[in-house]
Amino acid sequence: MAAHAAAKPMKKDYSEDSDKDNLTGWRARVHEIVYEADTPAGKAFDVTLVFAIIASVLVLMLESVRPIEAAWHWQLKTLEWMFTFFFTAEYLLRLYSVTRPLKYATSFFGIVDLVAVLPTWVSFFFPGSQYLLSVRVLRLLRIFRILKLANYLSQAEILKRALANSRRKIIVFLLTVMTLVVIIGTIVYVVEGEENGFTSIPTGVYWAIVTLTTVGYGDISPKTPLGQALASVVMIMGYGIIAVPTGIVTAELTQDQGSPKPVSTQSCRACSAEGHDVDAKYCKYCGDEL
């Protein structure tokens, strides 16, 4: 009796996973079109989406030019609201076509998609907030799926790993540079003085940063021989300083000898996550079946 009881399989509790059922009917079809790039419909949707994003950003840029905005005010406003309705509908469809809408809503692209439509609606109450719509440019990252460049995501993983491994060295390097520019900014303030445009130590620090990074705007420049000599040293130092972080990251990249696995364009039907291995059967983020 005891053996029989021990052999009896435990009944799995699905109370927490009742929303994990496979998508069927229209939801499955919508998910295939909105999230996948493997089918003609999905590819057409993504291409349309990218063109809409580019067009909406261009409309936003044109709206910020006063002569154009004055001449085409209502046309630009109409286009902006058309794009807003389109992106709002797209966002709602993305929520509708996954079994875990909250998982998608709190993901990177879910937040970006929401922020991409909120400013126009908020502009009803706070005029001018629509200019935050430039965040839509971030959504162009979806072009990796459209152009079937998902394999490059594995290369990006190597770069991310190299940056993470070298973060302490880079932090120490940046702290050293910050200390250096404060010292140089103070020296040039003392050497040049207010009569030559260096009205404060922060102004000297600004000049040191601009000069050290070899940008050299020229809005402020030393006039005395000693100040010009200091500027020459700082500019030469700039070439070496720029090479340091490059060498740190390069060293980490050369140490990463692992060959990356190809990445699939398959999107999880539960949480909408991407970047799975081509032979993956389950989502590596939520565990749902792909």
Side-chain angles (χ1 to χ4, degrees), residues 19-225:
D19 62 338
K20 291 185 180 179
D21 297 334
N22 291 329
L23 297 177
T24 57
W26 279 105
R27 291 184 71 189
R29 178 59 176 165
V30 171
H31 183 277
E32 180 180 316
I33 295 174
V34 173
Y35 282 102
E36 307 296 342
D38 303 358
T39 62
K43 184 179 295 185
F45 177 83
D46 281 352
V47 171
T48 302
L49 179 61
V50 169
F51 276 111
I53 294 170
I54 296 174
S56 67
V57 173
L58 288 175
V59 168
L60 175 65
M61 294 171 64
L62 291 174
E63 191 177 357
S64 67
V65 181
R66 290 189 177 182
I68 296 178
E69 199 278 336
W72 301 88
H73 175 77
W74 290 110
Q75 291 87 341
L76 294 174
K77 283 293 183 184
T78 301
L79 287 173
E80 177 51 45
W81 277 107
M82 289 173 60
F83 287 127
T84 298
F85 282 120
F86 173 78
F87 291 129
T88 302
E90 181 234 348
Y91 178 73
L92 295 176
L93 286 175
R94 290 186 182 276
L95 291 175
Y96 167 74
S97 60
V98 290
T99 57
R100 294 181 176 179
L102 183 61
K103 193 77 173 178
Y104 163 72
T106 55
S107 66
F108 171 76
F109 277 119
I111 295 172
V112 170
D113 290 349
L114 178 62
V115 174
V117 298
L118 277 182
T120 303
W121 299 111
V122 174
S123 65
F124 269 127
F125 309 99
F126 303 98
S129 61
Q130 68 271 18
Y131 293 109
L132 297 175
L133 289 172
S134 55
V135 74
R136 287 177 181 168
V137 175
L138 293 176
R139 307 181 73 202
L140 291 175
L141 292 173
R142 297 186 187 277
I143 201 169
F144 283 103
R145 282 172 40 225
I146 298 163
L147 300 181
K148 297 293 186 180
L149 297 180
N151 287 333
Y152 286 112
L153 295 178
S154 58
Q155 307 298 327
E157 183 65 26
I158 294 177
L159 180 59
K160 183 177 72 174
R161 200 159 55 236
L163 290 172
N165 293 337
S166 58
R167 65 184 182 277
R168 290 185 177 86
K169 298 176 184 177
I170 293 177
I171 290 173
V172 171
F173 166 75
L174 291 176
L175 290 174
T176 303
V177 172
M178 290 173 62
T179 303
L180 192 61
V181 296
V182 171
I183 295 173
I184 294 173
T186 304
I187 294 175
V188 76
Y189 168 71
V190 173
V191 171
E192 292 294 319
E194 296 184 10
E195 62 275 12
N196 291 324
F198 294 86
T199 56
S200 63
I201 291 179
T203 303
V205 171
Y206 159 76
W207 170 86
I209 294 173
V210 170
T211 306
L212 196 64
T213 56
T214 69
V215 178
Y217 291 123
D219 51 345
I220 304 175
S221 59
K223 302 297 189 297
T224 65

Side-chain angles (χ1 to χ4, degrees), residues 155 158-160 162 248-257:
Q155 307 298 327
I158 294 177
L159 180 59
K160 183 177 72 174
I248 293 174
V249 177
T250 302
E252 292 292 339
L253 286 172
T254 54
Q255 291 178 8
D256 195 340
Q257 299 296 332

